[in-house]
Amino acid sequence: VLDEQESFPEAEVKWLYDWGLQHYYIPTDCGGKFTSFEEFVAFVRVLARRDLNIAIAFTTMFWSFLTWMAGTDKQKQTLAQIMQDEQGTMCLAYSEREHGSDLVGGSVIGKKVPGGYRLTGEKWPINRATRSDITFVLARTDEQGGNRGLSLFMVDKRDIDPSQFGNNAKIKTHGIRGADMSGIYFEDCFVPETMLLGKEGQGLELALKGFQITRALCAAFSQGSADTCLRTTLNFALNRKIYGKTVWEMPHPRRVLVNGFLDILTCDCVNIAAARGFHVAPRQFSVWSAVDKYFVPVTLEKMQQEISVVLGARFYMRDEHDCGVFQKMLRDSSIISVFDGSSVVNLHALILQRRQLAKGRSRRKPKDLAALQKRLRNSFDLTTELPKFDPSKLDLMSRGADDVIQGLESAVAALSQPLDVDTAVLDCLKQQYRQFLTILDKQDEAIANGSFEHGHDQSFEAFEEAKRYCYIHAAAACLHMWLYNRSQLGDFFAQGTWLILCADRLLAQLTPDRPAVPLADYETLAEELLRLHAADKMFSIVPFQLASANNSADAPAPVASAATALQV
C-alpha cells in the first residue's frame, strides 16, 4: 500500500527506532552497540529482505560513520544523542544536478567568515534530504578547487537559520517510491565552525573513505532483495501446476532457480569477507569495497531479472502473486548499483589501481606469505574473533595489495593437500582454479606492459578488464571461504559441490573454454535450496533462521557474527 501511495514508511521506521535498532549504528565507545561490520551487514541484509524502502530509509544512518571516523568528541556526543535519544537521522549531500558523481567539480561554495562559513548552492538528488536532522554537506572552501579544495560539514538543520536554506520537492522515482528523495539548497547560509567535520580541505578524502565503508553495506541491500525474489519465485514454482506437473519439476525453471541460488552463495562469500576485512585489512579497502560494490549489486540485479522468467506473465502483474513483492523488490533494488558510487565509478576506481595491483602481485616475497595467510584466516574464518575496526587505517589507495587475489596461489596449492573431500570434487576445483590463475597471469602481464592513463578518459577495454578482475576476486573469495570454514558450516558447504558450480558460473564470464562440471551437482544444489526453503532459513552459506509467519511481528535479534543464527 505504501508503495502504491508513494508514502514514506513513517510507522515502520518509528517501530525500528522504538525497538532500538539505531543503537547498532553507534560504536560502543560512543555509547552504542556497534561491534563489527559482520554483524552490521547481517542485520541490514535481513532488514532489506522485508522491505528495501524501509531498510534504505532507516539505514541512511550509516553515514554517521563519517563522524565516528573524523569527528571531534563533541561532534560524536552530539550525533550519538540525536540518534539515540531523539530518534534523529541524517543524509548525505554530495551530488549535484549539474555535476553528478564529479565531486571535485561541485559548485556549492563554503565561504570562510568570522566564526564559521557561508554555504551557497544546491545538492540534488539526496535521500532523506527533507526529513533528516543532520546533513553531511560537501562544499568548496577553496576558490581554486582541486582535491584539497573541498571540506565536509556536519550541518544540524535545527541550528541554522531556516530562511537561509530549503528543500526541493519530492522526486518521483522508479523504485523505493516512498523514499524522501529530494534535494537541499543553501542561500548564503551561515554554519558555525563547529559544524566543520575534520579539517578544512579534507572533505574529498573523508568522502572517499566514507564510500569505502558504505559500499559494502549497500551490497547487503542487494543480498536481502535477492533472497526475497528467489523465495517468492520458488513459492510460485512449487505450487504452480502446468502440463500435469509443477513448474519446479521442469528442468529449465529448476536450473534457473538453482543458478540464482549459486549467485547468492557467491555474493555471500564476497560480502561477508569484505565485512570482516574492514577489521583485518582496512588499508586494502579502496580495492575490496570497489569490487564488492560493483560485483554484488550487479550480479544480484541480473540474477533477479533471470529468475523472473520462471514467473511468466505474473512477472508483469503487480498484485497477482505474493501481492507483487517480486516486482517491488526488482524496482527498489535497481537503484543500489547507483548508490555511493555507481558501477562505473567503482570500476574506474579499480582501473586506477590495477597497474599497482599487478606489480604488487609480481613482487610478493616468501617472507610476506605468513602475514598474508594470517590476514586471510582472520577475514574468512567465521570463528575467528575480529579486532576492533580502526578507521584511521583506511587509505585512498591500496598500494598494490589485495590479499584475496594475492592469496589465490596458496589457496590453489592447498587443494593438493590431504583434505577430507571427494577426489572428483578436488580434481575439478584444481582445474577450475588453475584456469583462474592463468587468466589472472595473462591479465597482469598485459596491464604491466601496457600504457596507462590517469583521469576519466579510460577505454572500454579497461573497464572490461576491471570487470574480469572482479570475477576473479569473487572466485578467490569463494575458495578462501570454503577452505577456512569446511568444518563449521555443515555438510552441504563442506562437500564443495556448490563451489564447483559457483566457480563455473564465474569462469563462464571469462572464457568459453572451461572444464565440464557434473550435472548431478545441480540436483544437490536443488535439494539444498528446497531444504532451506522448507526450514524457513535464509538462502546463504550461513543459513540464518527466519521468522515463521506466526511470529513475524517479533523483534529481530541482532547477530554477533555471520555464523550466528538469526531470528528476523
Side-chain angles (χ1 to χ4, degrees), residues 65-208:
F65 279 95
L66 290 166
T67 301
W68 315 140
M69 178 170 59
T72 64
D73 288 342
K74 178 62 175 176
Q75 288 171 326
K76 292 177 183 178
Q77 292 169 8
T78 298
L79 187 59
Q81 181 179 355
I82 290 172
M83 295 170 67
Q84 290 176 310
D85 302 334
E86 303 173 31
Q87 297 191 351
T89 191
M90 59 227 58
C91 69
L92 189 74
Y94 284 3
S95 62
E96 298 180 13
R97 197 182 299 261
E98 300 300 325
H99 300 283
S101 60
D102 180 11
L103 301 185
V104 177
S107 58
V108 170
I109 302 298
K111 183 179 180 182
K112 188 74 175 75
V113 295
Y117 297 81
R118 293 272 180 188
L119 296 182
T120 301
E122 179 193 63
K123 293 291 185 178
W124 178 98
I126 308 299
N127 188 24
R128 294 206 75 168
T130 301
R131 295 169 180 270
S132 63
D133 301 291
I134 298 293
T135 302
F136 290 103
V137 181
L138 194 62
R140 184 185 297 182
T141 50
D142 185 338
E143 291 183 4
Q144 301 302 315
N147 293 344
R148 286 291 177 183
L150 299 173
S151 299
L152 187 60
F153 297 88
M154 189 180 88
V155 178
D156 189 336
K157 293 194 297 186
R158 300 167 301 178
D159 293 337
I160 57 177
D161 189 337
S163 69
Q164 296 175 348
F165 78 96
N167 292 107
N168 305 114
K170 172 179 165 59
I171 302 166
K172 289 186 176 294
T173 54
H174 172 68
I176 55 171
R177 295 175 175 179
D180 169 24
M181 192 69 69
S182 55
I184 186 169
Y185 57 88
F186 302 93
E187 296 175 343
D188 198 30
C189 178
F190 177 77
V191 297
E193 203 165 39
T194 54
M195 291 186 182
L196 177 67
L197 197 61
K199 299 177 181 179
E200 185 175 308
Q202 198 180 5
L204 182 63
E205 177 185 348
L206 293 177
L208 295 177

Side-chain angles (χ1 to χ4, degrees), residues 197-310:
L197 197 61
K199 299 177 181 179
E200 185 175 308
Q202 198 180 5
L204 182 63
E205 177 185 348
L206 293 177
L208 295 177
K209 288 181 177 179
F211 279 147
Q212 290 180 23
I213 295 174
T214 58
R215 283 170 178 167
L217 307 183
C218 283
F221 290 142
S222 294
Q223 289 177 291
S225 172
D227 183 272
T228 294
C229 283
L230 182 57
R231 193 169 305 275
T232 189
T233 308
L234 182 56
N235 284 340
F236 174 82
L238 291 171
N239 291 288
R240 169 67 168 168
K241 288 188 176 182
I242 190 169
Y243 307 125
K245 60 179 68 175
T246 66
V247 171
W248 172 257
E249 291 172 318
M250 299 176 181
H252 178 262
R254 186 165 66 252
R255 176 71 64 84
V256 169
L257 293 175
V258 167
N259 283 340
F261 183 34
L262 290 168
D263 289 341
I264 288 177
L265 297 181
T266 300
C267 291
D268 264 14
C269 296
V270 174
N271 200 39
I272 292 174
R276 293 180 61 86
F278 274 121
H279 301 261
V280 178
R283 297 192 190 283
Q284 301 181 26
F285 259 75
S286 58
V287 173
W288 285 32
S289 65
V291 171
D292 193 16
K293 179 56 169 57
Y294 169 76
F295 180 82
V296 174
V298 167
T299 298
L300 295 181
E301 186 175 337
K302 181 180 178 183
M303 164 262 189
Q304 290 171 94
Q305 290 282 0
E306 288 177 347
I307 67 173
S308 70
V309 301
V310 177

Side-chain angles (χ1 to χ4, degrees), residues 34 36-47 213 216-221 223 271-272 274-276 278 292 544 559 562 566:
F34 172 86
S36 78
F37 284 107
E38 182 182 17
E39 175 187 79
F40 193 96
V41 161
F43 75 66
V44 170
R45 180 178 178 180
V46 295
L47 180 61
I213 295 174
L217 307 183
C218 283
F221 290 142
Q223 289 177 291
N271 200 39
I272 292 174
R276 293 180 61 86
F278 274 121
D292 193 16
F544 303 145
V559 293
L566 180 66

Side-chain angles (χ1 to χ4, degrees), residues 21 50 63 106 120 130 162 186 239 280 324 329 345 400 469 494 537 565:
L21 187 58
R50 287 299 184 93
W63 285 113
T120 301
T130 301
F186 302 93
N239 291 288
V280 178
M329 279 291 183
V345 168
Y469 186 85
K537 291 188 175 183

Side-chain angles (χ1 to χ4, degrees), residues 354 361 408 431-447 465 468-469 471-472 503 506-515:
R354 190 63 186 89
R361 185 165 170 259
L408 184 54
Q431 292 182 59
Q432 290 176 315
Y433 277 91
R434 285 168 183 162
Q435 194 164 8
F436 280 119
L437 282 173
T438 298
I439 294 168
L440 180 62
D441 287 340
K442 290 180 179 179
Q443 189 185 71
D444 279 358
E445 182 180 0
I447 289 173
E465 286 300 308
R468 291 162 67 86
Y469 186 85
Y471 295 132
I472 299 171
L506 292 167
L507 269 178
Q509 303 297 320
L510 301 169
T511 176
D513 183 21
R514 59 191 197 278

